[in-house]
């Protein structure tokens, strides 16, 4: 029985897709069109009361919140595919540290940039140029800390690729492509090398090939 | 060798303190005065480059981000004290789901309320009444979903107390006490019973007794 992932066209669900490919877990996807408001349909709200994607179903077990789903599949299939959690409790601790940094410090400004730059015209509200400038400044400060960290270890949690790195893929791809802000990555030597490394993984290339962004800018 | 926790007067570090008490792990605390800007001292930034609390040190192993620290100690001392992670990979998945809900949906509005209501005058900026109203509305919607969830299971992740519940303690205590918004909890029957249950745990009462809020309102 293959697992299901809802909302494959969007960034947060792509975290789950790339994780499942790394873990060699078969899955199928269920489209949810956010631009048509399908995430607010009563049937969908039964699965995910907050009305966001992704949701996953593993048989009759339902889970949401992308980073929770990552941890679940990485743990359930610990010994299959790429190990994404570290080998010791200390390595796992550092994976959690940097996964939380992604969630708490990296994602808020890059998510705001995504909504403002990529989705505002689609959703029918004007771009807030001040908010874009402020979010880019916040993201730049976070990237400065990443530059320092990545000058000391190849990946965020240490010398192994993990959920902490993987979780950055979808929104950073938007930043580099659709948002035209690749300079934020390229102006930082170690961040740039890290980005080349993680974004060229076959798992991520496969996600990009199979599931296009929700629209072309 | 006891573990160290930096910043015990503040809400996020208290997540770690209550976890360590539940896990029966001995610790000592290191004060960090945010109102004096001690979290921006160069020595502190060497431990935590983002300049926030908590930080923990377990021997020469350093970790930050409160929810990462919770997972680390809950995993390291899995078989000691209260089990806070669930017994199966499916239970752990639900703990992660609701811990992410706390981090992504519950914490942002309650954190904004805390800063606006409790800290604005201390930090020398005016209260933004619109932002307070908007944050209270967001938090109310989240609490409505909690009410529904807690009508079906005693705790957020199921019928066992876990990190998902524990993580709500410090800021919800501010909401009920210093912010005078206990009605948000009491107007929802199942949320109210859940709050009585988790806030009366000896571990949390001990944290409140040992570490006062940073100031009286």
């Amino acid at each position: 029985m293959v697992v299901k992932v809802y909302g494959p066209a969007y960034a947060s669900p792509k975290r789950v897709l790339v994780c499942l490919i790394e873990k060699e877990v078969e899955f199928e996807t269920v489209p949810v069109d956010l631009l048509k408001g399908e995430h607010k349909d009563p049937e969908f709200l039964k699965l995910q009361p907050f009305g966001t994607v992704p949701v996953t179903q593993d048989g009759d077990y339902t889970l949401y919140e992308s980073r929770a789903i990552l941890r679940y599949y990485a743990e359930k299939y610990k010994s299959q595919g790429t190990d994404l959690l570290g080998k010791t409790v200390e390595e796992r601790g550092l994976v959690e540290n940097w996964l939380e940094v992604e969630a708490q410090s990296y994602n808020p400004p890059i998510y705001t940039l995504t909504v403002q730059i990529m989705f505002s015209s689609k959703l029918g509200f004007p771009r807030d140029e001040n908010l874009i400038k402020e979010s880019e400044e916040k993201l730049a400060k976070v990237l400065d800390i990443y530059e320092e960290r990545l000058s000391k270890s190849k990946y965020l949690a240490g010398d192994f690729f993990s959920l902490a790195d993987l979780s950055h893929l979808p929104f950073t791809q938007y930043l580099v492509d659709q948002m035209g802000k690749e300079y934020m990555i390229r102006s930082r030597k170690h961040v740039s090398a890290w980005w080349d490394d993680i974004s060229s993984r076959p798992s991520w290339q496969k996600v990009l090939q199979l599931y296009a962004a929700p629209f072309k800018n």
Side-chain angles (χ1 to χ4, degrees), chain A:
Chain A
M1 189 178 48
V2 296
V3 309
K4 284 185 191 168
V5 181
Y6 289 71
Y10 298 92
S12 302
K14 286 198 168 79
R15 289 193 186 104
V16 177
L17 302 181
V18 65
C19 173
L20 289 170
I21 296 172
E22 291 281 353
K23 299 307 295 177
E24 300 167 10
V25 175
E26 245 190 294
F27 61 89
E28 57 187 44
T29 55
V30 184
V32 181
D33 191 334
L34 305 192
L35 297 175
K36 287 187 185 155
E38 290 177 358
H39 55 309
K40 303 297 179 190
D41 284 351
E43 278 307 301
F44 187 76
L45 290 174
K46 279 186 201 163
L47 286 180
Q48 211 305 12
F50 294 90
T52 61
V53 290
V55 174
T56 195
Q57 287 180 308
D58 185 5
D60 57 6
Y61 179 75
T62 302
L63 213 58
Y64 51 85
E65 283 292 341
S66 62
R67 298 174 194 85
I69 301 172
L70 297 182
R71 292 179 177 102
Y72 168 71
Y73 286 121
E75 185 73 41
K76 178 167 177 179
Y77 297 101
K78 184 88 175 102
S79 56
Q80 177 179 318
T82 311
D83 180 7
L84 297 168
L85 293 171
K87 297 201 190 320
T88 62
V89 70
E90 287 76 20
E91 285 185 358
R92 169 82 189 247
L94 287 166
V95 172
E96 294 295 348
N97 182 329
W98 288 95
L99 190 52
E100 284 289 332
V101 166
E102 184 271 320
Q104 299 289 330
S105 299
Y106 190 88
N107 197 65
I110 204 169
Y111 178 81
T112 302
L113 288 172
T114 301
V115 171
Q116 288 292 325
I117 296 174
M118 291 176 59
F119 285 82
S120 55
S121 66
K122 267 75 184 173
L123 294 171
F125 61 85
R127 283 163 65 122
D128 180 337
E129 297 298 341
N130 279 338
L131 185 56
I132 291 176
K133 185 165 174 286
E134 189 185 292
S135 300
E136 183 165 332
E137 285 166 2
K138 278 187 193 169
L139 186 62
K141 281 186 191 165
V142 175
L143 284 169
D144 286 342
I145 295 172
Y146 281 31
E147 179 66 6
E148 170 70 15
R149 171 70 184 170
L150 294 165
S151 75
K152 291 179 187 147
S153 63
K154 190 172 177 195
Y155 299 100
L156 287 169
D159 288 323
F160 57 102
F161 177 74
S162 74
L163 290 184
D165 308 295
L166 176 153
S167 192
H168 288 78
L169 284 164
F171 284 100
T172 310
Q173 191 73 54
Y174 280 168
L175 186 80
V176 164
D177 288 347
Q178 284 88 342
M179 290 194 240
K181 293 188 183 292
E182 188 171 1
Y183 60 87
M184 294 191 75
I185 303 298
R186 296 304 170 205
S187 59
R188 293 171 174 89
K189 183 179 150 194
H190 295 98
V191 170
S192 184
W194 169 76
W195 175 247
D196 283 339
D197 182 305
I198 67 171
S199 65
S200 65
R201 291 180 74 87
S203 57
W204 181 240
Q205 288 303 314
K206 191 167 173 191
V207 171
L208 289 180
Q209 186 192 332
L210 289 176
Y211 304 95
F215 49 77
K216 298 265 178 228
N217 259 30

